[in-house]
Amino acid sequence: MIEFTNVSKTYPGGVKAIDDVSLTIEHGEFVVLLGPSGCGKTTLLRMVNQLEDITEGSIAVEGKNIHDLNKIDMRREIGYVIQSNGLFPNMTIEENVMVVPNLLGWSKEKRAERFDYLMDLIGMPPENYRGSFPHELSGGQQQRIGVARALAADPPVMLMDEPFGALDPIIRSRIQEEFMDIQKKLKKTILFVSHDIDEAIKLADKIVLLKDGEIQQFDRPAELLNRPVNDFVSEFVGEDSVLKSLNLYQVKDLQATLDLPAVEGSPDGKVFHPHDSLRHVLAHLLHPSRQYVYVEGEDGTTNGPVSVEHIEAFVREITA
Amino acid sequence: MMDFLDYLGRNYADIFAHTIEHMQLLGVSLTIAVLIGVPLGIYLTTNEQLASTVLQAASIILTIPSIALFGVMIPILSTIGQGIGFLPAVIALILYSQLPIIRNTYTAINNVDPNIRDAAKGIGMTTLQRLWKVEIPNGMPLIMAGVRTATVLSIGIGAIAAFIGSGGLGVLIDMGISRGNQNMVLAGAIAISILAIAADFGLKKIQVKFSPKGI
């Protein structure tokens, strides 16, 4: 758990980088700090592990005020991943991943065991990479190692500063999905900086949208997209916010609002699974040759038909 | 040519002894120069203001002609009875070696990728751990390059130190000139060149050995 209480940072000369931020990230929650460059998102993140000073207010990690803790010790208990991966070129992959356990004085056996576990977790065979050096790896692999390093001492809290920002879109998307799977297993408390709304929507339990060091909106992604609280938020989420938000809803959400009859015989359109995204369904329906789709019911039935009008009605409801 | 080979045949033991002397002079002065220059270069990365002063001072020292520097040291060191000989030569070589060693160390540590430094800090390394585990290993090639430059420089200047009685291969050149013995001058000059090339080559091997494989 991370708690920001009335946190402000003022640079000498009076420029306010962070302006009275109060925010609570619950245990196991994935929160993305989102905003245009210069909004203070990275500064806010780096305040947590005391790489940036706080002018006013306080931050507590796992219930303890960070000012009462030893800087070096507290940093070792927080996972930290940065954009350019920050791997040490002079160390092997094993040394890189095990750098914090090493600082903490873990035994060699315990380290080797942990290394194998982490490499399996990120999907890289430990034996193939143990003695390799960072420059021998691709950008995506280096970033995976960066994540493994942050997880090495099993910290309850992770800070991630645009960790996937430098990767090409295809690799980025794949690593995001892998990371989501890891997070499902490990349930870390994560604070994640991004400037990419699509990434934030995909990953976050909640999004903090910042502008000029102030929180504009702190909400679940769907709420942020469909119920922006001010002009800045609605502009930032973009004109296609409704379309984006359909990514966050599944066929079963639509089913819950409709009472679709079961279909006798074979349906005359594509049948969607309850976990397919509504955006997917809409994209399918927009083709002029298709009027209806059907959805799989809970008890093996096929229900329908669903048309564009149903999705429109659903959107009216979520944006109301 | 035959004349020269004949000279070598008769004097090889003498030339060899002077080479050893030269290497002793280098060994002592370079060891001390590294022990002063590397820590100083590292310290200067934490003090920008002092850094420019020290680097400027080291640059100025390098512009002083060696003969002049020996001249200045004679009256000073005479007070402890060491006006000429091994000690002033060692001091001069240490002074001349400082610029390449300090400057390269300073640049090497300063040039470590800020992201790597940030990561090291963010995962909880102390300042000293960052230095030992990250900054020095990654700066090693550049630091060693400074030591190599200082070595080659010292081999040349070490020859001039023969004028104040430090011994070494400069003695052959010095004596050869005053006696009008061309073969003697040539033998000294060639031996110094070979020593310089060999030292540079040897240090390059050491540099590769001590530099981390990953960089």
Side-chain angles (χ1 to χ4, degrees), chain B residues 13 92 142 148:
Chain B
L142 204 53
R148 273 166 59 200

Side-chain angles (χ1 to χ4, degrees), chain A residues 87-103:
Chain A
L87 297 180
F88 305 124
N90 56 311
M91 298 185 192
T92 63
I93 296 306
E94 184 174 20
E95 286 166 343
N96 263 292
V97 173
M98 286 296 114
V99 93
V100 176
N102 218 339
L103 294 172

Side-chain angles (χ1 to χ4, degrees), chain A residues 99-222:
Chain A
V99 93
V100 176
N102 218 339
L103 294 172
L104 294 171
W106 287 22
S107 73
K108 205 178 168 194
E109 293 73 35
K110 199 174 164 195
R111 289 204 309 261
E113 200 179 301
R114 183 73 184 158
F115 176 72
D116 290 351
Y117 168 80
L118 288 167
M119 294 299 278
D120 285 335
L121 191 70
I122 59 167
M124 289 169 70
E127 286 320 313
N128 297 359
Y129 295 100
R130 195 179 290 277
S132 309
F133 286 95
H135 73 92
E136 296 168 321
L137 270 51
S138 70
Q141 289 172 325
Q142 289 182 5
Q143 208 55 52
R144 286 189 185 92
I145 298 297
V147 170
R149 180 174 69 184
L151 288 167
D154 204 13
V157 172
M158 303 258 286
L159 304 176
M160 307 179 80
D161 190 357
E162 302 208 27
F164 313 134
L167 304 172
D168 69 71
I170 294 168
I171 302 287
R172 187 191 309 156
S173 159
R174 193 189 304 154
I175 292 191
Q176 283 167 347
E177 274 146 36
E178 288 172 10
F179 187 67
M180 292 295 279
D181 288 340
I182 293 173
Q183 169 62 359
K184 266 184 207 138
K185 274 185 236 167
L186 303 180
K187 291 273 169 226
K188 301 289 181 193
T189 305
I190 298 175
L191 196 55
F192 185 110
V193 165
S194 179
H195 63 262
D196 175 1
I197 177 116
D198 294 310
E199 179 173 64
I201 293 164
K202 189 169 174 183
L203 300 174
D205 293 322
K206 281 184 180 170
I207 295 174
V208 181
L209 186 57
L210 288 158
K211 182 199 169 203
D212 300 333
E214 278 180 281
I215 296 183
Q216 303 296 308
Q217 190 166 355
F218 177 38
D219 238 324
R220 290 191 303 112

Side-chain angles (χ1 to χ4, degrees), chain B residues 16-34:
Chain B
F16 186 72
H18 280 115
T19 307
I20 296 295
E21 262 177 15
H22 210 95
M23 285 165 74
Q24 278 169 342
L25 183 64
L26 279 175
V28 173
S29 56
L30 278 171
T31 308
I32 298 171
V34 168

Side-chain angles (χ1 to χ4, degrees), chain A residues 46 76 80 84 90 99 135, chain B residues 115 118 123-124 129 133 138 214:
Chain A
R46 290 165 61 89
R76 289 175 188 176
Y80 184 49
S84 66
N90 56 311
V99 93
H135 73 92
Chain B
N115 287 312
D118 185 64
I123 61 174
Q129 283 167 337
K133 290 173 189 280
N138 286 301

